[in-house]
Amino acid sequence: MKKSFLLPHSCMRVGLILLVPFFIMFCLEMAGAAPEITITMPCLANNELLDGTVWFTLLQGEDIFMEIWILGLLVSLLFIALSKEKVEDEMILQIRLQSMLHALWVTSLCFVLETLFLFGFAYAYSLWATLYIFLLFFILKFRYELYQLKKAEK
């Protein structure tokens, strides 16, 4: 018996619904109009203090707006990418695999280009964005291939 690690089909709708507010939050952050959401947060390591790294502490008044949209975008994209189709057959699995391989190639190329041409914080931010590039490219390629398959069947 083949085991599938895909989410139920209903998770795709949840992912699409969640994508909207988290994408709006992302846009607010990029526009510099993000509100502050400050709370006390546990911290594993913090090297912002002058005397070196502090381990296992609580950060007072930490703004978590960015963490919310980063994790929200990730979860919503994962829900969309990893949800089953209504009919999940061998052809769909093959298209899913091919789309995943294309996404891996594109992401690897992005990684090489980032490593060669970006430095400092720009490099760090681009590496962080590469995970989202992988998911977005996979979703777009997979949806396009499904569209082409359905168009060819008509």
Side-chain angles (χ1 to χ4, degrees), residues 5 14 25 57-58 66 81 85 92 101 111 123 134 137 153:
F5 294 102
V14 173
M25 290 174 76
T57 186
L58 289 176
M66 182 185 286
E85 294 299 306
I92 301 294
L101 288 173
F111 178 77
Y123 180 66
F134 177 81
F137 190 82
E153 289 177 351

Side-chain angles (χ1 to χ4, degrees), residues 107-122:
T107 306
S108 298
L109 177 63
C110 287
F111 178 77
V112 168
L113 293 174
E114 292 163 355
T115 302
L116 291 174
F117 299 114
L118 296 176
F119 302 95
F121 281 116

